[in-house]
mmCIF file of all heavy atoms in Angstrom:
data_model
loop_
_atom_site.group_PDB
_atom_site.id
_atom_site.type_symbol
_atom_site.label_atom_id
_atom_site.label_comp_id
_atom_site.label_asym_id
_atom_site.label_seq_id
_atom_site.Cartn_x
_atom_site.Cartn_y
_atom_site.Cartn_z
ATOM 1 N N PRO O 44 -11.214 0.735 0.649
ATOM 2 C CA PRO O 44 -10.443 1.223 -0.507
ATOM 3 C C PRO O 44 -9.430 0.171 -0.944
ATOM 4 O O PRO O 44 -8.837 -0.516 -0.116
ATOM 5 C CB PRO O 44 -9.732 2.470 0.034
ATOM 6 C CG PRO O 44 -10.467 2.836 1.284
ATOM 7 C CD PRO O 44 -10.977 1.549 1.844
ATOM 8 N N LYS O 45 -9.227 0.104 -2.269
ATOM 9 C CA LYS O 45 -8.213 -0.799 -2.823
ATOM 10 C C LYS O 45 -7.317 -0.026 -3.761
ATOM 11 O O LYS O 45 -7.785 0.818 -4.532
ATOM 12 C CB LYS O 45 -8.883 -1.968 -3.543
ATOM 13 C CG LYS O 45 -9.649 -2.882 -2.601
ATOM 14 C CD LYS O 45 -10.216 -4.084 -3.303
ATOM 15 C CE LYS O 45 -10.926 -4.995 -2.299
ATOM 16 N NZ LYS O 45 -11.534 -6.173 -2.952
ATOM 17 N N LEU O 46 -6.037 -0.324 -3.694
ATOM 18 C CA LEU O 46 -5.077 0.370 -4.536
ATOM 19 C C LEU O 46 -5.385 0.137 -6.010
ATOM 20 O O LEU O 46 -5.500 -1.012 -6.461
ATOM 21 C CB LEU O 46 -3.663 -0.103 -4.224
ATOM 22 C CG LEU O 46 -2.561 0.525 -5.075
ATOM 23 C CD1 LEU O 46 -2.425 2.012 -4.746
ATOM 24 C CD2 LEU O 46 -1.245 -0.192 -4.845
ATOM 25 N N LEU O 47 -5.510 1.210 -6.749
ATOM 26 C CA LEU O 47 -5.688 1.137 -8.196
ATOM 27 C C LEU O 47 -4.333 1.248 -8.887
ATOM 28 O O LEU O 47 -3.961 0.403 -9.695
ATOM 29 C CB LEU O 47 -6.632 2.244 -8.656
ATOM 30 C CG LEU O 47 -6.970 2.300 -10.137
ATOM 31 C CD1 LEU O 47 -7.731 1.050 -10.563
ATOM 32 C CD2 LEU O 47 -7.796 3.541 -10.465
ATOM 33 N N MET O 48 -3.618 2.323 -8.572
ATOM 34 C CA MET O 48 -2.284 2.475 -9.139
ATOM 35 C C MET O 48 -1.505 3.562 -8.433
ATOM 36 O O MET O 48 -2.078 4.488 -7.869
ATOM 37 C CB MET O 48 -2.352 2.760 -10.641
ATOM 38 C CG MET O 48 -3.146 3.970 -11.046
ATOM 39 S SD MET O 48 -3.664 3.944 -12.790
ATOM 40 C CE MET O 48 -2.123 3.669 -13.649
ATOM 41 N N SER O 49 -0.193 3.412 -8.464
ATOM 42 C CA SER O 49 0.690 4.468 -7.999
ATOM 43 C C SER O 49 0.831 5.489 -9.124
ATOM 44 O O SER O 49 0.552 5.191 -10.287
ATOM 45 C CB SER O 49 2.059 3.898 -7.642
ATOM 46 O OG SER O 49 1.923 2.884 -6.665
ATOM 47 N N VAL O 50 1.270 6.679 -8.783
ATOM 48 C CA VAL O 50 1.409 7.739 -9.774
ATOM 49 C C VAL O 50 2.849 8.209 -9.777
ATOM 50 O O VAL O 50 3.379 8.613 -8.739
ATOM 51 C CB VAL O 50 0.480 8.931 -9.463
ATOM 52 C CG1 VAL O 50 0.504 9.920 -10.618
ATOM 53 C CG2 VAL O 50 -0.929 8.469 -9.180
ATOM 54 N N TYR O 51 3.482 8.175 -10.944
ATOM 55 C CA TYR O 51 4.879 8.553 -11.062
ATOM 56 C C TYR O 51 5.006 9.802 -11.932
ATOM 57 O O TYR O 51 4.146 10.112 -12.743
ATOM 58 C CB TYR O 51 5.681 7.402 -11.681
ATOM 59 C CG TYR O 51 5.531 6.104 -10.942
ATOM 60 C CD1 TYR O 51 4.935 4.998 -11.542
ATOM 61 C CD2 TYR O 51 5.967 5.980 -9.627
ATOM 62 C CE1 TYR O 51 4.786 3.800 -10.866
ATOM 63 C CE2 TYR O 51 5.816 4.787 -8.941
ATOM 64 C CZ TYR O 51 5.225 3.711 -9.563
ATOM 65 O OH TYR O 51 5.071 2.526 -8.882
ATOM 66 N N SER O 52 6.127 10.490 -11.736
ATOM 67 C CA SER O 52 6.356 11.735 -12.483
ATOM 68 C C SER O 52 6.320 11.514 -13.992
ATOM 69 O O SER O 52 5.896 12.387 -14.748
ATOM 70 C CB SER O 52 7.701 12.345 -12.091
ATOM 71 O OG SER O 52 7.699 12.732 -10.748
ATOM 72 N N SER O 53 6.757 10.345 -14.407
ATOM 73 C CA SER O 53 6.801 10.043 -15.840
ATOM 74 C C SER O 53 5.447 9.606 -16.372
ATOM 75 O O SER O 53 5.284 9.377 -17.566
ATOM 76 C CB SER O 53 7.834 8.946 -16.099
ATOM 77 O OG SER O 53 7.538 7.810 -15.307
ATOM 78 N N GLY O 54 4.484 9.479 -15.492
ATOM 79 C CA GLY O 54 3.176 8.980 -15.888
ATOM 80 C C GLY O 54 3.203 7.470 -15.996
ATOM 81 O O GLY O 54 4.246 6.873 -16.250
ATOM 82 N N ASN O 55 2.077 6.841 -15.754
ATOM 83 C CA ASN O 55 2.043 5.394 -15.882
ATOM 84 C C ASN O 55 0.665 4.933 -16.330
ATOM 85 O O ASN O 55 -0.334 5.610 -16.112
ATOM 86 C CB ASN O 55 2.474 4.686 -14.594
ATOM 87 C CG ASN O 55 1.798 5.210 -13.361
ATOM 88 O OD1 ASN O 55 1.809 6.410 -13.078
ATOM 89 N ND2 ASN O 55 1.199 4.316 -12.595
#
Side-chain angles (χ1 to χ4, degrees):
Chain O
K45 294 184 178 178
L46 178 68
L47 182 64
M48 57 200 307
S49 303
V50 188
Y51 305 116
S52 295
S53 56
N55 48 307

